[in-house]
Amino acid sequence: EKKVLIPDLNAGCSLAESCKPEEFKKFIEQYPGYTVISYVNTSAEIKALSDITCTSSNAMQIVQSLPQNKKIIFAPDKNLGNYIQSLTGRDMIIWQGTCHVHEEFSLEKIIELKKKNPEAKIIAHPECEKHILLIADHIGSTSSLLRCTKEDKSTIYIIATEPGIIHQMKKANPQKIFIPAPPKDTTCACNDCNFMKLITLKKIYNCLKYERPEIKVKKGIRIKALRSIQNMLEISERLGL
């Protein structure tokens, strides 16, 4: 019932692109009886094929809210799925999707950076690869990382997630130092989200002024996708999240 606008129709998501609806449909058909949990960074079509949607903040609790014997399909991010599986020990089949930003961090360069700044804490999003998470002092969603920098007593951090969040971290903690984790390829800004950078102030202005491009979702998909989101909200409310 709402009008939804996007400043640039090409501003998608590499993680969402890694999970095509037609391929995912065939995939879940191989595992009848499994509960399908899809991360919020997916298309409406994927949400329509899912039982429950989750965010990086509540994914762990959503998985743990299901009966212990319930088998789960988790999509699309393999790193987040593997991280949750390692902590919960749940029976999970994980779709092999990734976010291009969180796949680009260099373990060797982060270690070098840590040697130069031994007092720095490494904080990472669970979409990062396992070897990055193993050296992290704190692992969490974007909101969790932001909260950590506010509440933690350290004064310097190495940030292993999309570096756009550093702006908010600096606003909340002007006295602290934030260093973006370096990518494998230092000749490019590979750990910047190419899709996010398509959104500019001028495009936002024109989008609001002319109210286009407008996003429209087919009714059949919209209703099914809404069901998976409502299931997430119901579980979150029950758990007091």
Side-chain angles (χ1 to χ4, degrees):
E1 71 278 7
K2 301 284 187 179
K3 177 179 280 192
V4 177
L5 309 171
I6 185 168
D8 190 322
L9 285 171
N10 293 314
C13 169
S14 62
L15 182 55
E17 286 295 320
S18 71
C19 190
K20 302 291 187 184
E22 58 277 8
E23 295 173 6
F24 190 59
K25 187 174 186 296
K26 292 178 183 177
F27 180 77
I28 61 178
E29 285 172 352
Q30 298 175 52
Y31 303 98
Y34 279 64
T35 296
V36 181
I37 301 177
S38 69
Y39 190 28
V40 71
N41 294 32
T42 51
S43 65
E45 289 92 339
I46 296 300
K47 292 180 178 69
L49 291 167
S50 304
D51 298 302
I52 312 170
T53 299
C54 71
T55 68
S56 56
S57 296
N58 67 21
M60 184 79 69
Q61 292 92 330
I62 294 291
V63 167
Q64 290 178 318
S65 74
L66 299 178
Q68 192 68 35
N69 63 348
K70 179 64 70 174
K71 296 180 178 180
I72 299 165
I73 291 174
F74 188 90
D77 192 89
K78 66 177 184 180
N79 294 322
L80 177 59
N82 288 330
Y83 175 65
I84 292 171
Q85 187 178 39
S86 71
L87 293 180
T88 64
R90 299 301 293 266
D91 187 346
M92 295 170 65
I93 300 293
I94 299 167
W95 181 266
Q96 298 297 294
T98 60
C99 160
H100 80 86
V101 170
H102 295 93
E103 288 277 290
E104 285 299 327
F105 295 116
S106 166
L107 176 63
E108 292 76 16
K109 290 173 185 173
I110 291 175
I111 291 172
E112 287 177 17
L113 198 54
K114 174 74 172 178
K115 287 178 180 177
K116 293 177 182 176
N117 302 274
E119 72 281 18
K121 282 193 175 179
I122 300 168
I123 61 174
H125 194 281
E127 286 180 34
C128 291
E129 294 177 293
K130 183 178 179 180
H131 54 255
I132 302 296
L133 299 181
L134 287 173
I135 63 167
D137 297 291
H138 177 81
I139 301 167
S141 64
T142 302
S143 59
S144 174
L145 298 182
L146 185 57
R147 188 167 58 252
C148 172
T149 61
K150 290 179 183 178
E151 298 174 356
D152 188 76
K153 298 191 185 306
S154 296
T155 58
I156 180 168
Y157 300 88
I158 297 169
I159 313 297
T161 191
E162 215 288 332
I165 188 60
I166 291 177
H167 172 71
Q168 294 296 332
M169 291 175 172
K170 286 181 176 178
K171 279 176 63 177
N173 309 277
Q175 76 285 5
K176 294 187 177 184
I177 298 169
F178 304 97
I179 308 170
K184 297 166 188 170
D185 184 355
T186 54
T187 64
C188 66
C190 301
N191 55 349
D192 284 345
C193 177
N194 300 330
F195 295 102
M196 286 184 186
K197 298 302 181 282
L198 290 175
I199 304 295
T200 64
L201 194 59
K202 183 177 180 180
K203 288 177 184 177
I204 293 172
Y205 171 80
N206 286 326
C207 179
L208 292 171
K209 183 177 181 179
Y210 300 108
E211 295 193 359
R212 63 176 189 265
E214 182 180 358
I215 299 296
K216 292 185 180 292
V217 181
K218 292 178 181 178
K219 185 178 179 181
I221 293 173
R222 180 180 64 78
I223 291 171
K224 289 179 180 178
L226 180 60
R227 180 201 61 195
S228 70
I229 295 171
Q230 287 174 330
N231 287 340
M232 173 188 71
L233 295 175
E234 287 171 8
I235 292 170
S236 296
E237 184 178 5
R238 189 171 74 241
L239 297 176
L241 301 177

